[in-house]
Amino acid sequence: QTAKHIFFWCQVHKSAAFALNELSKYPGNCVTMHEAGVVAPLLDLVGSDDEQLQEYAAKCIANIRRLALANERAKYG
């Protein structure tokens, strides 16, 4: 792969992670994203060399996890 090709895909991943992070700020979106299976790919992106990409992915995962914990507390007290 060329450096240009790698740069392009890094930008695509960064844009996608940014969008998912923004969407994860709303609980209904977290549920939808979790059901769609975004957590595993986001975990892969956390291992990226790009710090901004890591941050977007980690924040999204944290938002999804926070909602899951809040739901567990509400359910089990």
Side-chain angles (χ1 to χ4, degrees):
Q1 294 182 355
T2 66
K4 187 176 179 181
H5 185 99
I6 293 169
F7 175 78
F8 170 78
W9 283 110
C10 183
Q11 291 304 111
V12 169
H13 287 151
K14 191 184 297 187
S15 295
F18 174 79
L20 290 171
N21 178 48
E22 291 299 309
L23 288 168
S24 73
K25 294 176 180 177
Y26 302 94
N29 292 338
C30 286
V31 172
T32 302
M33 290 189 295
H34 186 267
E35 290 173 350
V38 301
V39 174
L42 286 169
L43 286 170
D44 289 339
L45 295 178
V46 170
S48 168
D49 292 334
D50 185 300
E51 290 182 15
Q52 196 172 37
L53 177 54
Q54 292 173 6
E55 184 178 332
Y56 293 150
K59 284 182 177 180
C60 184
I61 293 168
N63 288 338
I64 292 170
R65 185 62 187 142
R66 246 188 305 281
L67 178 65
L69 289 171
N71 285 338
E72 285 179 27
R73 286 187 200 113
K75 187 174 181 179
Y76 299 110

